[in-house]
Amino acid sequence: MMMMNTTMEQLRTLKLEGMAQALQDQLSQTGMTAMSFEERLTMLVDREVHLRDDRRTCRLLKLAHLKYPQACIEDIDTRAGRGLERKEVMSLALGDWVKSAHAVLITGPTGAGKSWLACALAQYACRRGHSVYYQRVPRMGEELRIRHGNATFGKWLIQLAKTEVLVLDDWGMAGIDAQTRADLLEIIDDRSASKATIITSQLPIEHWHAWVGDATIADAILDRIMQKNHRFTLTGDSLRQKPKASKKEPKPDPS
């Protein structure tokens, strides 16, 4: 037993916590003695791999800053009237859209679940080991002004260019100034050929050109986004819970 305790300590020193825990579990299970060395070793390595995968997923989700980090494609609401087919969503999520640098364009009215769907796709990308970053477009102008002011824009641009999935939420909700427009082109241009992008918008796609404002920049941005894309147009009533009307207590009879 002392030898095994030493081995577990050595595994932890080597930062093989999964294997150390699995070995401890094996020592407490009498049935393990009937297994071969190869089988027990396989189980130790398998535990370590799963632990590292879980840690990587947690780290990627933390760095993604998703609006809805718990959104899962398994929980997608495909009830009639939403304009959403489970088969279509699952086919995309399980496919190679990230590695193929495709864009996913999600449009629909407020409350239709656009941001949730975007986060569910992004969350699953994290689970598959891809890096993700979430950004609301209405706040991007201020973010960019701060980064230009403290000279971190260039470094941030390089970081975004390396991120495998960029989520641009609420595209077209508010107007953008000339600097934001130019920066947005830089961001899209750096990613268009090699990285995936998810865009959500209340604006129908045919109005995006007018929203960008400058015709030349709009042409450049949309040309890059539209090259390889998947589209979801959500419909139906808002999914956000509306406050229930409080029942008024009957007034006492004054008589």
Side-chain angles (χ1 to χ4, degrees):
M1 179 60 81
M2 185 177 295
M3 183 181 295
M4 281 300 180
N5 288 337
T6 300
T7 299
M8 283 190 286
E9 287 301 318
Q10 288 174 330
L11 288 172
R12 291 191 170 97
T13 300
L14 293 170
K15 297 183 178 180
L16 298 172
E17 183 62 39
M19 293 185 70
Q21 185 60 52
L23 178 58
Q24 187 173 343
D25 291 345
Q26 287 187 8
L27 293 175
S28 65
Q29 296 170 355
T30 56
M32 284 293 175
T33 56
M35 299 181 68
S36 68
F37 170 78
E38 289 81 4
E39 290 170 334
R40 293 180 68 176
L41 179 60
T42 298
M43 294 182 70
L44 295 179
V45 174
D46 188 64
R47 179 76 73 86
E48 182 65 33
V49 169
H50 278 82
L51 179 63
R52 294 193 177 200
D53 284 346
D54 289 344
R55 286 176 175 171
R56 180 180 61 177
T57 299
C58 289
R59 184 179 71 253
L60 290 172
L61 284 171
K62 184 177 180 180
L63 293 173
H65 300 290
L66 296 177
K67 183 176 183 178
Y68 302 112
Q70 302 303 321
C72 299
I73 57 171
E74 295 88 343
D75 296 332
I76 286 175
D77 182 354
T78 54
R79 74 184 74 171
R82 290 205 63 209
L84 197 59
E85 295 290 336
R86 180 177 297 277
K87 183 178 180 180
E88 185 180 3
V89 176
M90 295 303 294
S91 176
L92 172 64
L94 298 173
D96 62 353
W97 68 280
V98 176
K99 291 183 178 179
S100 299
H102 289 182
V104 180
L105 314 179
I106 306 171
T107 57
T110 182
K114 302 181 297 298
S115 298
W116 193 96
L117 176 58
C119 288
L121 289 169
Q123 192 248 35
Y124 191 70
C126 287
R127 286 157 58 187
R128 299 184 79 179
H130 299 297
S131 58
V132 173
Y133 186 75
Y134 171 93
Q135 174 74 57
R136 285 194 69 241
V137 177
R139 294 181 181 174
M140 181 175 281
E142 182 61 26
E143 174 82 20
L144 293 170
R145 280 190 287 276
I146 292 173
R147 293 191 176 278
H148 279 296
N150 59 21
T152 61
F153 174 72
K155 183 178 179 180
W156 190 61
L157 197 62
I158 293 172
Q159 182 180 341
L160 284 184
K162 294 178 180 178
T163 301
E164 292 172 282
V165 180
L166 174 63
V167 182
L168 295 175
D169 198 11
D170 291 329
W171 174 283
M173 180 173 282
I176 54 175
D177 57 28
Q179 183 62 64
T180 302
R181 189 182 300 122
D183 290 343
L184 186 58
L185 173 57
E186 291 297 315
I187 292 169
I188 297 295
D189 183 63
D190 282 350
R191 304 178 51 79
S192 61
S194 59
K195 305 298 178 184
T197 304
I198 302 176
I199 297 176
T200 77
S201 180
Q202 291 184 37
L203 279 180
I205 293 174
E206 57 267 25
H207 296 308
W208 288 8
H209 193 282
W211 171 73
V212 175
D214 182 285
T216 302
I217 293 180
D219 286 342
I221 289 176
L222 296 183
D223 177 67
R224 287 156 176 76
I225 291 173
M226 300 300 174
Q227 286 181 11
K228 300 174 291 185
N229 70 81
H230 305 268
R231 302 185 186 186
F232 295 97
T233 303
L234 305 188
T235 56
D237 297 331
S238 174
L239 298 179
R240 296 194 180 101
Q241 291 185 346
K242 296 179 180 179
K244 295 180 180 179
S246 58
K247 294 182 179 179
K248 294 183 179 179
E249 294 292 332
K251 293 182 180 180
D253 189 345
S255 58

